[in-house]
Every structure is written in C-alpha cells, then in structure tokens.
C-alpha cells in the first residue's frame, strides 16, 4: 500500500494559517491581563448574551409564523421575551460602547475592533427598526408610514420599501441578522486576536510608558 | 508596585477583585508585537458567558412576564370608513383632486413632486419612481371599477373617465371645498354645487370600504393571490386624519418624539432618541427638507462615531478626561501611576 502524498494541501495550509493567526490558547484563553478587573468588562459579554436571547426568541417566533404571536398566549410571551431581550441588548451595548470609548479601546491596532463594534450597533438599530415594521399591528402601521419619508428622502426608499411587509420581514429575520452576526463574530475574533486594550499610559509589558501609542 | 511584583489571583474572584494577581509569566521566546507580557489573572471566559446568558435570560423573562409587550390591532380601511366616514370621504376626494400627500408625493411613488433634497443633492428625484402609485386611480377609480350591478356608479364612472383632466380636477376641488365648509365636515351636508360624478363615486367607495372589500383590493393590486406589500393601503390610510388622530392619542406623532415611541407605556426604540430629537428643534421642525437633512446629519454623525479613533481631538478625549483612571484604578494603584491628563509624557517638557 502506497503512502499518502506528502504535498501541502489547501486544507492543511488553511488550517496552519488559522491556527497560526489565532492559536487555541489565544482564542479561548484562561487568563486575562491583570487590568481586566472592572465591572465595565461585563457589558461586552452581556451584549453577546442578549444577542443570543434575541436570536433564540426570534427563532421561535419565526417557527410560529408572522401572526402566531397575535393569537396565542405562548406566542405573545415569546414576543415579549424578544422585545425585552432587544431592550436589554441595546442597554448593555450602549454601556459597553461608552466604556470602550473612555478606554480609547481602539489603541494598539484595534481600529477594526472599534469599527466592527460601531457597525454592529448601527446595523442592530436597523434590525430592530425592521422588527417594529413586521409586528403587523398598529405600531408597525404608524412607524412604517412615519419612517417612509426619511428613507425615501435618501433615495433608498425606491429599493427598500418600509411599507412592504414581506420585504421587511426577510430583511429582519435573514439579511440584517446575518450581517450583524458576521460583524459580531469578526468583532469578537478581533478582540481575541489583539487582546483587551491595556490601560492608557501602560505599555504591553505592564509598566508605565511614554510611548505615544499607549495614549491614543 | 511594579508588574514583576504581582502575586497570584483567585480564579473565583469577581472581576473587580484583583487582590492577588499571578506573577507575570516569562516572556516567550517570540512575542508578537502588541501582545501583553505584563501581569495576568485567571479568567474563565466560558463561565462568564454562561453566567451572563442565564442573568440576561432571567431578566428578559421577568420583564416579559411583568410588562408583556404592546399589541394594538392594526387599523383597517373598513374600521376607518365606519368610524370616521367624513374623514374617509374627504381623503378620497383629495386623492381625486391631487391635494393629498400621496398625490403630490413624487418619487419613489409618482412624478407629482420632486421630493426632498439635501442642499444640491436631489437623491429622491434622481433615483426616480420605483414603487409606482397613482392615488386617484389606485385608491378610488380602480376599486370602483370592480363594482358591478350598480348602474348609477357605472354611469358616474363613465362620465368621470370621459371628462378632461381639468374638469375632473374642478369637480373634485369644488367638492373638497364644499366638504370643508359643511357642518362638521360631513359630506352628506354639503351645499348644492357642480361636483359632477364625484359624490356618487366617493359614496360608493365609502360603501365598498365599510363592507371590508377595499382592504384586500388595495393590497391585491398587482400582487395577485398572495399579499405582502401594503404600500397602497398604508399610503391611503396615512393620507387621512383617522390614523394620525389615533397616533396622537397614543403620543406617537412627530412632535411627540414620534416613532421612537410605541403604544402603551413601553420604552420603544429609545436608541432612536438622537434621530428623533432633531425633529423637535429648529431648523428641522419647520423645514420642508427635514427628513433629508436629519438623515444627512445622522449619517455624518454615524460616520464620525465610526472614525473617532482617527479624528484628532476626538480621539484624545478619553486621555484628557480621566474616566480611565476610574476604570483601571486598581491597576494604576498596584502597577504604575496613572498618566496625567494632557499630552503624552514624551511630548511634555
């Protein structure tokens, strides 16, 4: 029986590159820098937890269909769970954002981490907005008729019709969550890749430094 | 205390309790630039996530049980026609005489207007009509044309369609004016006048709506059996005063911080506070281009938020305002002095 070919496969090269870029102990470390010791750090993972709650409750709503939550007590509860998960999501995400702002968390080649985080926030606002449009009740009627003028004034309304429930439903449950999900994954991977930003004025060796990069 | 003097931390300690940090590990032979080589502490990310998930789940569940969620039924054209027939008829007449919001909207619905602009940028006009709506025909004439067995209406429709557009306009405008002068705006009490076939048409449309047939007819136009596009019925509904009156009673109108609210005492889309705030202040609260201007401003501010790290001045705020001293107070106390507000040390002289 002949030996398998020894040439380097694409699969092997991809694996080597991934492991090299983000080794397991960096992807899921069991230690953190000593400065990661404030309750402000909890709001990042709380945002992720709320996002999981939103996706889970939204999935149940999707299984039941567009009108299920109007007609059953269980459906209404799941809708309430979805709503309050969204409220909590934005509450903790905004605190997380402010925390990262005051930490100047973009320092040390962490610009992409900041950008993906802000983009995730902005697209989450769009996702939540489409959620209000597809409730198929008075709120969605009123919000849609009010919002159309703003969307239309940008020209986007020609292709993204807030009065079209079918279109908005697909954006709400497929397209926007997909984008937010990808952004969240990239954001988290960037945090693991670059690490949690050190305190302002502290170098990567843990000592006070005069290196301007530690300040901005 | 230097980083080298750090001691071991308890793995079960809460994040803020950094009393016993581990000794700094020896730097590996090859350390990537930017990798932290200072003191570390045990940290269980998976446990933290699971605890966060349980806490958020319990919180959301509790809030859902206690406060539930709003679900006021949507308004139907039938409900509008039955509960406020005068407003319904008046709106139908404004669709015919071209004075309704939809009739003069412009893109993306029709060419009756240019839409809004941002200084010299006419985005609405340039992109053009992509959701075609002809309010007079779509909301009034086409639904009436489906009615059979009503010779009076058939004759009225034939007379209306045979007339010139200026004559159609004259009939509808005269009727619109007469309704506005009638007691309580009641179409049944208008003074005698030359309104042509318009009163017959709008009365038939009112009957059609009161029977519930208009709801499905407006959605069905162009979409066949399956329905999911409510552009036409929502535009028609929004042209009237009935929907706005209901919204006003729920504190949902534009000068009541509009669509960031929702029915009942719920937080709504509180994250839209900044977007909604602009509509409350000058010049946005009286500009004909308010929507375009507010959107332009919000896009600019959003871009600014994204680009804070590269905007001189803004990116220095966290260094100048020492909130970070509070966040990292334990670390600064144990391992090094907090930087003073102002320029980085190497730029201080």
């Amino acid at each position: 029986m002949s030996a398998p070919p020894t040439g380097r496969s694409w699969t092997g090269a991809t694996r080597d590159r991934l492991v090299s870029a983000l080794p397991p102990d960096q992807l899921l470390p069991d230690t953190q820098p000593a400065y990661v010791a404030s309750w402000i750090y909890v709001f990042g993972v709380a945002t992720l937890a709320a996002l999981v709650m939103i996706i889970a409750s939204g999935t149940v709503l999707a299984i039941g269909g567009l009108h299920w939550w109007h007609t059953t007590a269980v459906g209404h509860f799941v809708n309430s769970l979805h709503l309050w998960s969204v409220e909590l999501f934005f509450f903790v995400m905004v605190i997380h954002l402010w925390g990262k702002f005051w930490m100047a968390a973009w320092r040390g080649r962490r610009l992409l981490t900041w950008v993906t985080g802000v983009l995730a926030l902005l697209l989450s606002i769009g996702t939540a907005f489409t959620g209000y449009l597809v409730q198929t009740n008075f709120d969605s009627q009123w919000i849609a008729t009010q919002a159309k003028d703003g969307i239309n004034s940008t020209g986007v309304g020609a292709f993204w019709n807030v009065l079209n429930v079918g279109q908005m439903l697909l954006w709400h449950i497929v397209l926007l969550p997909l984008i937010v999900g990808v952004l969240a994954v990239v954001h988290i991977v960037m945090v693991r890749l670059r690490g949690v930003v050190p305190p302002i004025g502290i170098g990567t060796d843990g000592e006070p430094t005069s290196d301007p990069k530690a300040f901005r | 205390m230097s980083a080298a003097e750090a001691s071991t931390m308890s793995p079960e300690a809460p994040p803020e309790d950094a009393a016993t940090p581990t000794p700094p590990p020896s730097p590996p032979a090859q350390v990537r630039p930017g990798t932290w080589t200072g003191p570390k502490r045990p940290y269980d990310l998976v446990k933290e996530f699971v605890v966060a998930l349980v806490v958020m789940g319990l919180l959301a569940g509790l809030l859902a049980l206690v406060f539930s969620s709003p679900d006021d039924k949507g308004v139907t054209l039938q409900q509008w026609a039955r509960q406020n027939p005068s407003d319904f008829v008046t709106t139908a007449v404004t669709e015919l005489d071209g004075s309704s919001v939809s009739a003069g909207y412009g893109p993306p619905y029709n060419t009756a207007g240019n839409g809004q602009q941002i200084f010299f940028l006419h985005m609405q006009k340039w992109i053009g009509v992509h959701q075609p709506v002809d309010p007079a025909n779509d909301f009034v004439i086409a639904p009436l044309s489906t009615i059979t067995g009503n010779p009076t209406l058939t004759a009225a429709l034939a007379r209306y369609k045979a007339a010139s557009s200026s004559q159609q306009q004259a009939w509808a405008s005269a009727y619109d004016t007469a309704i506005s002068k009638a007691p309580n705006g009641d179409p049944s009490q208008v003074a005698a006048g030359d309104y042509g076939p318009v009163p017959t048409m709008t009365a038939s449309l009112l009957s059609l709506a009161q029977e519930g047939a208009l709801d499905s007819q407006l959605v069905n136009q162009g979409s066949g059996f399956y329905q999911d596009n409510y552009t036409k019925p929502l535009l028609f509904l929004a042209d009237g005063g009935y929907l706005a009156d209901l919204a006003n009673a729920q504190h949902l109108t534009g000068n009541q911080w509009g669509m960031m609210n929702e029915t009942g005492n719920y937080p709504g889309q509180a994250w839209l506070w900044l977007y909604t705030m602009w509509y409350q202040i000058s010049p946005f609260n009286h500009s004909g281009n308010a929507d375009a201007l507010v959107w332009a401003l919000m896009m600019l501010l959003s871009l600014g938020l994204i680009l804070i790290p590269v905007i001189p001045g803004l990116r220095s705020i966290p260094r100048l305002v020492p909130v970070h001293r509070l966040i990292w107070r334990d670390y600064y106390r144990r391992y090094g002095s907090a930087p003073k507000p102002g320029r980085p040390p190497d730029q201080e002289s």
Side-chain angles (χ1 to χ4, degrees):
Chain A
M1 187 177 181
S2 61
T6 56
R8 198 171 181 220
S9 67
W10 289 14
T11 306
T14 303
R15 182 190 61 235
D16 292 347
R17 178 142 194 179
L18 286 175
V19 171
S20 169
L22 203 59
D25 59 348
Q26 193 173 346
L27 185 64
L28 276 177
D30 49 13
T31 62
Q32 285 294 313
Y35 55 81
V36 185
S38 165
W39 284 108
I40 194 69
Y41 289 104
V42 170
F43 289 93
V45 73
T47 306
L48 184 62
L51 181 61
V52 171
M53 284 296 302
I54 292 168
I55 293 169
S57 54
T59 302
V60 177
L61 285 174
I63 290 170
L66 191 56
H67 299 285
W68 171 61
W69 76 279
H70 296 299
T71 56
T72 66
V74 174
H76 195 114
F77 175 74
V78 176
N79 180 75
S80 304
L81 201 59
H82 194 61
L83 168 71
W84 288 106
S85 298
V86 171
E87 298 288 350
L88 289 169
F89 173 73
F90 279 102
F91 180 75
V92 291
M93 182 159 53
V94 168
I95 295 175
H96 175 63
L97 174 73
W98 275 108
K100 293 304 162 187
F101 172 76
W102 291 116
M103 293 179 194
W106 50 78
R107 290 173 293 125
R109 298 175 65 216
R110 292 176 178 84
L111 177 63
L112 187 58
T113 313
W114 172 269
V115 169
T116 51
V118 175
L119 284 176
L121 167 66
L122 296 174
L123 281 162
S124 296
I125 291 174
T127 311
F129 168 67
T130 54
Y132 277 86
L133 295 177
V134 301
Q135 292 182 101
T136 56
N137 59 13
F138 180 81
D139 277 320
S140 39
Q141 282 182 316
W142 179 250
I143 291 170
T145 54
Q146 293 300 291
K148 76 181 190 306
D149 299 327
I151 306 287
N152 288 341
S153 73
T154 65
V156 175
F159 312 104
W160 201 72
N161 183 6
V162 297
L163 306 179
N164 185 332
V165 174
Q167 186 186 16
M168 291 302 105
L169 181 66
L170 293 175
W171 276 84
H172 181 67
I173 68 170
V174 179
L175 300 173
L176 286 170
L178 193 63
I179 300 170
V180 171
V182 168
L183 281 169
V185 168
V186 173
H187 183 71
I188 292 165
V189 168
M190 289 307 298
V191 172
R192 295 272 56 87
L193 196 61
R194 301 280 185 245
V196 182
V197 71
I200 293 177
I202 300 295
T204 53
D205 60 354
E207 300 287 352
T209 179
S210 58
D211 185 350
K213 289 179 182 173
F215 291 85
R216 59 174 183 255
Chain B
M1 185 180 183
S2 70
E5 295 169 323
S7 56
T8 306
M9 290 180 66
S10 163
E12 297 303 322
E16 80 283 11
D17 183 9
T20 54
T22 57
S26 300
Q30 281 189 326
V31 177
R32 295 184 197 188
T35 300
W36 177 257
T37 57
K40 292 190 176 181
R41 52 168 299 196
Y43 205 104
D44 195 335
L45 288 172
V46 174
K47 182 179 177 183
E48 184 187 44
F49 172 73
V50 171
V51 170
L53 189 59
V54 170
V55 170
M56 296 306 279
L58 288 174
L59 265 177
L62 187 67
L63 289 164
L65 279 172
V66 175
F67 298 110
S68 188
S69 54
D71 188 23
D72 285 21
K73 279 191 174 181
V75 174
T76 62
L77 300 180
Q78 182 184 37
Q79 177 187 337
W80 176 25
R82 286 183 175 178
Q83 296 192 1
N84 197 339
S86 297
D87 182 61
F88 181 91
V89 170
T90 303
T91 305
V93 175
T94 62
E95 306 295 0
L96 290 174
D97 71 9
S99 64
S100 73
V101 173
S102 296
Y105 198 91
Y109 307 128
N110 49 54
T111 55
N114 290 330
Q116 297 187 31
Q117 64 191 74
I118 308 166
F119 303 113
F120 60 91
L121 297 172
H122 298 258
M123 299 302 295
Q124 201 168 345
K125 181 181 178 185
W126 291 343
I127 293 179
V129 177
H130 287 263
Q131 318 284 344
V133 177
D134 175 358
N137 185 65
D138 294 344
F139 302 164
V140 182
I141 298 169
L144 289 176
S145 301
T146 64
I147 298 175
T148 56
N150 184 338
T152 308
L153 174 63
T154 304
L157 267 179
R159 187 183 174 200
Y160 185 84
K161 289 177 181 176
S164 65
S165 58
S166 59
Q167 179 62 72
Q168 293 172 344
Q169 173 82 24
W171 283 331
S173 294
Y175 193 47
D176 192 5
T177 304
I179 292 174
S180 67
K181 293 178 179 174
N184 301 317
D186 183 353
S188 65
Q189 300 184 53
V190 297
D194 183 13
Y195 313 127
V198 171
T200 304
M201 292 165 59
T202 53
S204 296
L205 190 73
L206 178 67
S207 298
L208 191 69
Q210 288 175 331
E211 291 162 5
L214 191 59
D215 285 283
S216 58
Q217 282 199 13
L218 290 195
V219 184
N220 268 336
Q221 287 177 4
S223 61
F225 181 79
Y226 291 103
Q227 305 170 10
D228 63 359
N229 187 350
Y230 291 81
T231 301
K232 289 174 182 174
L234 281 173
L235 285 177
F236 185 38
L237 196 57
D239 282 340
Y242 181 68
L243 185 71
D245 289 342
L246 293 175
N248 189 53
Q250 295 271 7
H251 309 287
L252 301 176
T253 55
N255 58 2
Q256 296 168 316
W257 292 73
M259 65 177 190
M260 70 172 273
N261 296 323
E262 57 187 326
T263 50
N265 295 316
Y266 290 89
Q269 300 181 82
W271 43 90
L272 292 181
W273 71 270
L274 184 61
Y275 172 78
T276 313
M277 184 196 76
W278 300 118
Y279 287 94
Q280 317 302 316
I281 61 176
S282 183
F284 307 105
N285 59 0
H286 58 78
S287 170
N289 293 307
D291 295 301
L293 293 172
V294 168
W295 265 87
L297 181 59
M298 288 304 295
M299 284 192 228
L300 201 63
L301 291 174
S302 298
L303 191 63
L305 182 62
I306 293 169
L307 297 177
I308 276 180
V310 295
I311 299 175
L314 282 181
R315 67 180 179 184
S316 299
I317 291 175
R319 173 170 55 85
L320 298 171
V321 182
V323 176
H324 60 273
R325 292 193 191 196
L326 182 67
I327 295 171
W328 289 308
R329 61 188 181 282
D330 289 339
Y331 191 88
Y332 286 137
R333 190 171 61 243
R334 289 184 177 136
Y335 304 115
S337 57
K340 294 174 182 176
R343 301 169 72 82
D346 63 332
Q347 295 178 21
E348 291 177 352
S349 58

